[in-house]
Amino acid sequence: MLGNNGFVGLPVFFRYFQGNGTDMKLEEDRYDLFINGEHIGQHTLYAEKEEVTDISDFLDLQGFHHVQMDVEGDHILIHCQNKAEADQIEEALRVFITNR
């Protein structure tokens, strides 16, 4: 057979697939958000290009420049210096995760 490229009997769409499939995001990644140990919600990464660091970038744009954020498994832990700052960050993050 001409143009078979060694894949006898496989349909055309299998012949042209190249790659190992690791470049594609198969399902959403979900992270539980915590501020100073208090659960505030869940953040889901829907788009393939979204990353967990988008949260720290968002907080930086909102004026929270000294926020410490850690990712442990499927938990995003945000550490604030005081309760007032934690309340402001919580309000901003609730808007962020609602609008996503």
Side-chain angles (χ1 to χ4, degrees):
M1 291 171 66
L2 294 174
N4 194 359
N5 296 328
F7 294 99
V8 178
L10 292 178
V12 173
F13 60 90
F14 283 120
R15 289 186 204 144
Y16 293 106
F17 176 73
Q18 301 216 351
N20 56 8
T22 59
D23 297 341
M24 297 182 341
K25 190 170 186 174
L26 299 177
E27 60 182 60
E28 302 93 25
D29 294 330
R30 291 189 183 106
Y31 294 89
D32 288 314
L33 282 167
F34 293 88
I35 298 178
N36 290 344
E38 181 183 333
H39 185 264
I40 64 155
Q42 192 174 62
H43 177 56
T44 303
L45 304 179
Y46 292 108
E48 187 173 332
K49 304 247 183 216
E50 279 186 294
E51 297 181 14
V52 175
T53 57
D54 293 343
I55 292 176
S56 63
D57 295 340
F58 170 77
L59 290 175
D60 193 50
L61 286 172
Q62 297 299 312
F64 302 107
H65 304 292
H66 302 290
V67 175
Q68 180 186 357
M69 186 178 93
D70 296 315
V71 179
E72 295 180 4
D74 64 348
H75 291 73
I76 299 172
L77 309 172
I78 298 173
H79 308 283
C80 302
Q81 295 179 355
N82 58 51
K83 176 79 169 125
E85 182 182 49
D87 291 341
Q88 292 173 342
I89 290 174
E90 180 179 348
E91 184 178 331
L93 285 178
R94 286 191 188 276
V95 170
F96 178 78
I97 60 179
T98 301
N99 289 337
R100 299 304 282 193

